[in-house]
Amino acid sequence: MARIIAVAVPKGGAGKTSTTLNLGAALAERGHRVLLIDFDPQGNLSLSVRAPVGTPTLYTVIKEFIATWEPGLERVIVPSTIPNVDIAPTDVWLNEADEELRSADRREYVLQKLLEPIAPAYDFVLIDTLPYFGMLVKNALVAADEVIIPMQAEFLATQSIAMMLKLVERIQRTGLNPLLRVLGVLVTQVDMRTNMGRQAESYARTEFLGRVSIFATTIRRTVRMAESQAMGQSLFQYDPDGDAAAAYRALAEEVLRATEG
Ligand SMILES: Nc1ncnc2c1ncn2[C@@H]1O[C@H](COP(=O)(O)OP(=O)(O)O)[C@@H](O)[C@H]1O
Ligand SMILES: [Mg+2]
């Protein structure tokens, strides 16, 4: 059975999409079968792996599911540009799903139910999410076994981590997903050239000491990230010997170890 991991934090630009893509690629490089779910209507992940949105769309699948409770997610899954990585791509229409979900039966469980028949074909399902805590994010957190919380290494970023931890607690306490587990906070976009960049990481480690685990791996700021995405590639295709690819390999290692434990 696949491990389902949501990459979530209620802040844009934190590194959710980049992490979903490159952690997925790193796991695939190790021979794992990976499915990415683009659950952010901005569709950045879909664009970054050149996944065309066909018909039906993720939105129509959700809409039809709400009416019939017959899963049909396989109808939107396509291969990505990354070897061994499939994706359920999305476009801006997914925004409408947030609205539709509000009035659905068992509205928080729709993604979980859609994934049920699909997940056994994969080792990992990674869900990219949007920075706004609505029905889409709730569905992602209910479908997931684990959450990775990216944190941009900058002033004030710890606030969004504190908020995310509260959201996870709420999902657990309400019984929506009592077993949801925070895999860790991932410090991203560390700028080693500035004091602030270097300090942001150690500040986060002190601030959340004992409250949440922070991955030993951190991701440094690099122009390779935007470049690779613009080329429709993962770091493993664009700059396989670079530091950023090495960092995501180390992250995959930590995720695999946590999975075993
Ligand atoms: N390690 C990094 N170094 C440099 N730029 C990065 C890095 N990680 C992400 N970015 C860039 O920062 C922006 C926001 O990252 P993204 O992953 O899209 O965040 P989110 O999905 O949380 O909004 C993107 O333009 C991305 O290319
Ligand atoms: Mg994103």
Side-chain angles (χ1 to χ4, degrees), residues 70-260:
E70 279 173 41
L73 193 61
E74 69 283 350
R75 292 187 295 155
V76 300
I77 294 173
V78 291
S80 76
T81 45
I82 306 166
N84 259 331
V85 177
D86 289 344
I87 180 168
T90 198
D91 61 12
V92 70
W93 279 98
L94 188 65
N95 271 311
E96 302 282 317
D98 200 276
E99 188 67 31
E100 305 263 348
L101 282 165
R102 280 169 214 277
S103 49
D105 293 332
R106 288 180 56 81
R107 56 189 190 168
E108 293 94 353
Y109 296 88
V110 169
L111 181 59
Q112 184 192 70
K113 288 289 166 194
L114 281 171
L115 281 175
E116 237 168 47
I118 305 289
Y122 295 93
D123 300 307
F124 286 90
V125 177
L126 305 183
I127 310 171
D128 188 20
T129 62
L130 64 166
Y132 148 79
F133 192 62
M135 288 309 300
L136 290 171
V137 172
K138 234 181 211 179
N139 265 265
L141 295 178
V142 169
D145 304 301
E146 292 150 331
V147 197
I148 291 176
I149 309 176
M151 188 195 99
Q152 191 176 355
E154 58 159 34
F155 184 55
L156 291 184
T158 51
Q159 268 195 333
S160 59
I161 306 303
M163 197 185 299
M164 189 64 213
L165 294 176
K166 284 212 180 92
L167 299 178
V168 169
E169 241 173 54
R170 215 167 89 196
I171 295 284
Q172 293 164 334
R173 285 192 187 147
T174 53
L176 282 171
N177 187 358
L179 299 179
L180 182 63
R181 177 162 86 113
V182 176
L183 209 45
V185 170
L186 175 68
V187 184
T188 70
Q189 301 168 62
V190 180
D191 191 344
M192 296 304 284
R193 294 165 310 175
T194 67
N195 278 333
M196 200 112 126
R198 288 189 299 267
Q199 282 162 11
E201 181 185 353
S202 55
Y203 175 71
R205 286 192 192 275
T206 326
E207 169 100 353
F208 293 108
L209 196 70
R211 281 210 278 159
V212 63
S213 57
I214 299 184
F215 288 106
T217 306
T218 58
I219 313 295
R220 292 190 185 181
R221 180 171 287 285
T222 166
V223 292
R224 300 276 180 257
M225 189 63 84
E227 286 172 3
S228 61
Q229 287 165 5
M231 298 295 288
Q233 294 180 342
S234 75
L235 291 164
F236 298 83
Q237 297 157 297
Y238 186 74
D239 186 25
D241 301 322
D243 291 345
Y248 275 102
R249 273 185 203 110
L251 176 67
E253 189 64 46
E254 284 194 70
V255 169
L256 286 165
R257 256 185 280 135
T259 296
E260 284 153 14

